[in-house]
Amino acid sequence: EAGVTQFPSHSVIEKGQTVTLRCDPISGHDNLYWYRRVMGKEIKFLLHFVKESKQDESGMPNNRFLAERTGGTYSTLKVQPAELEDSGVYFCASSQDRTYASYEQYFGPGTRLTVT
Amino acid sequence: SQQGEEDPQALSIQEGENATMNCSYKTSINNLQWYRQNSGRGLVHLILIRSNEREKHSGRLRVTLDTSKKSSSLLITASRAADTASYFCATDALSSFYNQGGKLIFGQGTELSVKP
């Protein structure tokens, strides 16, 4: 079974440009999460999809970030326009059924974003 | 405020020695998980312990959970050079789980270096 995949693995862009990150969750996983780790600090939650609906976007830093999950399959995270402080590693994770009392989130390899 | 805090921030040991990492958190949790991140790679799930469990083993890993002290420890026995990585604890806040689906809140991590 394929794991969570993310594309690209690394992106270098200039300040003011736009970047779109993609995440393909494990097939059949309804829950999809975005996290990021900035400057070696802790990994922080960005948002959570249940199928195609945004369940929790309390971690989104500002309106320059837009996440979508069309059809409840893959998700994209767009940063427009990118700022220097957006540099970091963006992780995607998926999990199965939220009705389980506890469940494991499976993480992708991350996309390293560098804004210059 | 940050949910998980880990100590030590960095740990350097010799191969064969045991490594102990600690994690503290602030709110009631549904479960606590430990993840490993090798340099430049994604997060790998190590072990999950539920709030009603006190100790769990998986291979060379031993995790304890003390909900009265809101703390957990990860013990790696007979460490190997391949164990060199960043280790993170992540909590699934109980309120978050029932209301929003279980976003994970990570600590800053412990950088473990195992010297051959």
Side-chain angles (χ1 to χ4, degrees):
Chain A
E1 178 184 290
V4 177
T5 58
Q6 293 186 244
F7 181 83
S9 58
H10 193 183
S11 179
V12 181
I13 61 172
E14 294 183 352
K15 177 182 172 182
Q17 290 185 324
T18 298
V19 63
T20 300
L21 314 180
R22 172 169 170 147
C23 168
D24 286 79
I26 293 172
S27 177
H29 281 193
D30 289 341
N31 294 285
L32 187 150
Y33 304 82
W34 284 98
Y35 296 85
R36 74 172 180 178
R37 189 181 188 198
V38 174
M39 294 288 290
K41 296 184 178 178
E42 69 269 26
I43 300 164
K44 285 193 172 180
F45 167 80
L46 295 178
L47 87 160
H48 168 210
F49 284 98
V50 177
K51 297 184 180 178
E52 67 275 8
S53 300
K54 291 177 186 175
Q55 184 70 22
D56 178 3
E57 50 185 333
S58 61
M60 294 288 265
N62 52 60
N63 59 10
R64 294 185 295 102
F65 289 74
L66 174 64
E68 294 179 325
R69 192 182 182 195
T70 306
T73 54
Y74 70 91
S75 174
T76 58
L77 180 64
K78 179 189 287 188
V79 184
Q80 178 183 29
E83 298 289 343
L84 297 178
E85 63 264 25
D86 300 332
S87 296
V89 181
Y90 289 76
F91 293 103
C92 175
S94 71
S95 68
Q96 202 166 15
D97 186 341
R98 67 179 291 196
T99 61
Y100 281 99
S102 59
Y103 50 84
E104 176 183 336
Q105 291 186 20
Y106 296 84
F107 279 78
T111 293
R112 181 173 296 277
L113 175 63
T114 303
V115 183
T116 63
Chain B
S1 62
Q2 184 175 310
Q3 171 79 323
E5 296 184 2
E6 293 173 66
D7 111 85
Q9 291 188 344
L11 179 61
S12 181
I13 58 175
Q14 293 294 133
E15 213 167 24
E17 294 180 337
N18 295 341
T20 300
M21 290 161 268
N22 302 296
C23 167
S24 61
Y25 57 91
K26 296 178 181 176
T27 63
S28 296
I29 62 171
N30 186 51
N31 61 64
L32 185 145
Q33 304 180 54
W34 284 90
Y35 286 85
R36 182 186 73 219
Q37 183 188 18
N38 292 84
S39 179
R41 300 187 180 181
L43 290 163
V44 174
H45 184 266
L46 295 176
I47 196 165
L48 179 152
I49 186 166
R50 301 183 186 194
S51 59
N52 62 353
E53 296 177 313
R54 292 297 166 257
E55 187 171 313
K56 203 162 183 179
H57 297 254
S58 176
R60 293 184 296 112
L61 306 180
R62 173 178 168 251
V63 170
T64 62
L65 179 65
D66 187 336
T67 53
S68 66
K69 295 181 179 179
K70 291 186 167 58
S71 67
S72 173
S73 68
L74 171 67
L75 168 67
I76 303 175
T77 60
S79 63
R80 306 166 182 168
D83 295 328
T84 295
S86 298
Y87 290 82
F88 297 91
C89 69
T91 53
D92 172 3
L94 192 60
S95 59
S96 172
F97 173 79
Y98 285 112
N99 296 330
Q100 298 164 341
K103 66 184 180 185
L104 295 179
I105 301 174
F106 286 83
Q108 288 195 332
T110 294
E111 302 280 345
L112 174 65
S113 174
V114 182
K115 299 178 181 179

